[in-house]
Amino acid sequence: MLISISKDAEPTKLEKYVTKKYDALGSAINSGSRKIASKFQFVNDYLDRHLALKNYLAVTVRYFPTNALTLSSAFFDPGNISEGISAGATFQYQMLFAVFISNVFAMVLQALCVKLGLVTQMDLAECCKKYIKNKYVVWFLFFCGEVSIVFTDIGEIIGASVSWNILFGIPYIWGCLLTVGDCFLVLIMYNSEGNNSKSLRIVNIIVGLFSSITMCLCIVELARIPISTARHVFDGFLPYLNRLKDHSYCFQFVSIFGAVIMPHLSYISTSSYAITAKEITKKKQ
């Protein structure tokens, strides 16, 4: 296998290469930040007087941007894009309230996931198994989680298979199998013991790169969309109750909510930050 997943395994060439490039990038960022900080000496003096704030910023800048960039890919996935395009084609700007309120709930959920992963150093599934004593409740939560994840990922797998077919002419069946294989590869890289932060770093770099490309393409598309009036756009952010009488509007509203607030994102977020917390703890000891 390309990725070493055990604690005692020797790092592969891919891990050595990524670690080398990552360290070089970190050194370049640190040197650049020192040059910028030298021009703002009063900031350095202030941080020297407040060591707690200085340590907080150092840990935050070093460990969390890559995780945040990786998790942001959940908002640029094929399901979100397809739902957004379908809603815009049907209701124009009237679905902006659904987009706004779903992202507010998603930010609250992500904040809770970050706190859970950092404080407990466990993901959501491990916390449920440890703190819920009733085994029937645990199995019920497992069943609900699996069903919701399956229904959520159906759109992702279909969208990815369509992308494989458009880009490389791969049949849809083989595209689905490739997408499922990618999912298992990511699961292999996520080790619950927190010993493979290098493999997780590879995931962060690859997913972050694709997320950045997708975000840039979305910005270009938004810049080219003609807008009639600003009032027409901001009118979509208002929660008109008479719109809920339309069944197709309610269906599209729920679809956007499901595409943004995905259940499996809670497990991925808590697991990612739990691994980060373990890595910070090891380096502090």
Side-chain angles (χ1 to χ4, degrees):
M1 296 181 65
L2 292 177
I3 308 298
S4 62
I5 60 175
S6 63
K7 182 177 180 180
D8 301 327
E10 293 293 332
T12 61
K13 293 182 179 179
L14 179 59
E15 287 183 344
K16 292 180 180 178
Y17 176 79
V18 173
T19 302
K20 180 180 178 181
K21 295 297 183 181
Y22 188 87
D23 293 338
L25 178 61
S27 300
I29 293 175
N30 290 333
S31 61
S33 61
R34 283 194 295 269
K35 291 179 180 179
I36 296 175
S38 62
K39 298 181 180 180
F40 299 91
Q41 189 61 36
F42 67 94
V43 177
N44 293 332
D45 296 337
Y46 179 82
L47 292 177
D48 289 337
R49 293 193 302 269
H50 300 79
L51 294 179
L53 177 61
K54 184 177 182 180
N55 294 332
Y56 170 78
L57 293 176
V59 173
T60 302
V61 172
R62 181 174 182 180
Y63 292 101
F64 297 109
T66 53
N67 287 340
L69 187 61
T70 303
L71 297 174
S72 67
S73 63
F75 303 98
F76 293 101
D77 57 14
N80 275 346
I81 294 176
S82 62
E83 289 296 336
I85 293 175
S86 176
T90 307
F91 299 98
Q92 295 184 352
Y93 299 105
Q94 296 181 10
M95 298 300 300
L96 288 178
F97 174 73
V99 176
F100 171 74
I101 196 66
S102 61
N103 278 275
V104 170
F105 278 99
M107 287 188 289
V108 174
L109 181 63
Q110 284 301 301
L112 296 175
C113 291
V114 171
K115 292 180 180 179
L116 179 64
L118 292 179
V119 174
T120 64
Q121 297 187 4
M122 294 185 295
D123 57 36
L124 181 59
E126 292 173 333
C127 288
C128 291
K129 185 177 181 181
K130 181 177 180 179
Y131 294 107
I132 299 178
K133 304 302 181 182
N134 193 326
K135 64 178 181 179
Y136 297 105
V137 176
V138 173
W139 279 105
F140 177 74
L141 292 175
F142 171 78
F143 175 77
C144 293
E146 289 295 329
V147 170
S148 59
I149 289 171
V150 168
F151 278 101
T152 304
D153 285 342
I154 288 177
E156 316 301 335
I157 294 176
I158 294 176
S161 62
V162 172
S163 301
W164 284 112
N165 182 266
I166 294 175
L167 293 175
F168 306 106
I170 298 176
Y172 295 117
I173 299 298
W174 288 106
C176 291
L177 294 177
L178 286 173
T179 307
V180 173
D182 293 340
C183 295
F184 278 105
L185 180 61
V186 173
L187 290 176
I188 291 174
M189 293 181 177
Y190 275 78
N191 182 14
S192 60
E193 298 297 329
N195 297 321
N196 61 336
S197 58
K198 295 180 181 179
S199 300
L200 181 60
R201 190 175 299 167
I202 295 174
V203 177
N204 291 340
I205 293 175
I206 295 175
V207 177
L209 176 62
F210 283 107
S211 299
S212 302
I213 295 174
T214 307
M215 182 177 63
C216 293
L217 293 176
C218 289
I219 292 174
V220 172
E221 290 182 354
L222 289 174
R224 300 182 63 181
I225 293 176
I227 299 176
S228 56
T229 59
R231 182 178 180 180
H232 188 201
V233 176
F234 286 104
D235 181 68
F237 287 100
L238 300 178
Y240 291 112
L241 297 179
N242 57 350
R243 293 173 181 169
L244 298 178
K245 298 179 182 179
D246 188 355
H247 295 287
S248 59
Y249 180 89
C250 292
F251 178 78
Q252 202 74 56
F253 192 98
V254 175
S255 300
I256 291 177
F257 251 86
V260 175
I261 308 176
M262 297 179 290
H264 63 281
L265 187 59
S266 302
Y267 297 96
I268 296 175
S269 301
T270 52
S271 177
S272 177
Y273 284 103
I275 295 175
T276 302
K278 293 177 182 179
E279 184 179 359
I280 296 173
T281 303
K282 288 181 180 179
K283 292 191 176 181
K284 292 297 181 181
Q285 292 176 350

